[in-house]
Amino acid sequence: MSLKEKIEINRLPKHVAIIMDGNGRWAKAQGKDRSFGHQEGVVSVRKVVEAATSLGLEYLTLYTFSTENWRRPESEIQALMGLLVKAIYQETPDLMKNNVRLMAIGDLSRLPEDAYTSLMDCIAQTSVNTGTTVVLALSYSSRWEITDAVRTIAKRVMDDDLKISEITEGVVSEYLTTKGIPDPDLLIRTGGEQRISNFLLWQLSYAELYFTDKYWPEFREEELYSAILDYQMRERRFGKTSEQL
Ligand code: IPE
Ligand code: IPE
Ligand code: MG
């Protein structure tokens, strides 16, 4: 029985989020430039998106570039943005064919113009699709997002548009960039580090965490299936006792 066949399709996580880490170390380990790791990382993105659609996952969020990643050397940022534009142009036909809807979260105003334009074109074109939703987190950080939400909520209170007593968890969620997207059930981080790196801090409250030493360029279909099988062995109690479930 293959790994894929072992997955219980009626108990899939609705939303899988991935911190795609380890491109640079993977390349360096074989004496190559970090950008080679990013190129191979794009191949992993394609394979994992295909695996997600073949399983019928509803949401897949990929941490592609963090707010903190703007601190990297200019040449690496340019290489990453170039790859993003190229990948979007290359992959859009397959996204259409596979009924994938693309979305993006993050401070997109900071993206270079060509990256922003190609991203928006792909989002518009795929918006009619009804299969898996792939969310790219780009120039994203959770603290940026929460700070922005607090500002907007405070403004509405000052404008007498919202009462303090009306600010519920649901209202806070509505002001995050992930509005309308269910919280991730499973968070995967590749590359061996066990940290969250400013990713979806609010939304991950009850996610199951899965860490693997595999570098992102090595993470392909089978690794996604393994992570989902691991998830399916866990008991999610949400504060209750086992007996209550
Ligand atoms: C992840 O790989 C890709 C991005 C953060 C853009 P890294 O570039 O962080 O690779 P390592 O962690 O240095 O190996
Ligand atoms: C996290 O990876 C961000 C992305 C995968 C886009 P980093 O490589 O930037 O994380 P840290 O800084 O090592 O925690
Ligand atoms: Mg890294």
Side-chain angles (χ1 to χ4, degrees), residues 18-22 25 63-69 71-72 137 139-144 187-190 192-201 204 209 211:
I18 309 184
I19 301 177
M20 309 184 288
D21 195 23
R25 279 166 289 155
Y63 202 7
T64 307
F65 194 87
S66 72
T67 303
E68 289 73 24
N69 289 149
R71 299 180 190 146
R72 292 197 176 187
S139 187
Y140 174 87
S141 82
S142 207
R143 287 188 172 187
W144 161 79
L187 171 78
I188 300 170
R189 182 172 185 142
T190 64
E193 313 291 1
Q194 303 197 1
R195 55 180 177 249
I196 302 293
S197 302
N198 215 350
F199 188 45
L200 300 175
L201 300 178
L204 291 173
L209 309 183
F211 298 102

Side-chain angles (χ1 to χ4, degrees), residues 7 24 26 34 49 52 68 70 80 89 97 120 136-137 163 171 180 195 208-209 240-241:
I7 294 174
W26 178 82
R34 289 179 59 84
V49 169
E68 289 73 24
W70 290 115
L80 281 165
Y89 278 123
K97 201 170 75 199
M120 287 304 142
L136 297 183
K163 292 195 189 74
V171 167
R195 55 180 177 249
E208 295 297 325
L209 309 183
K240 296 183 180 173
T241 66

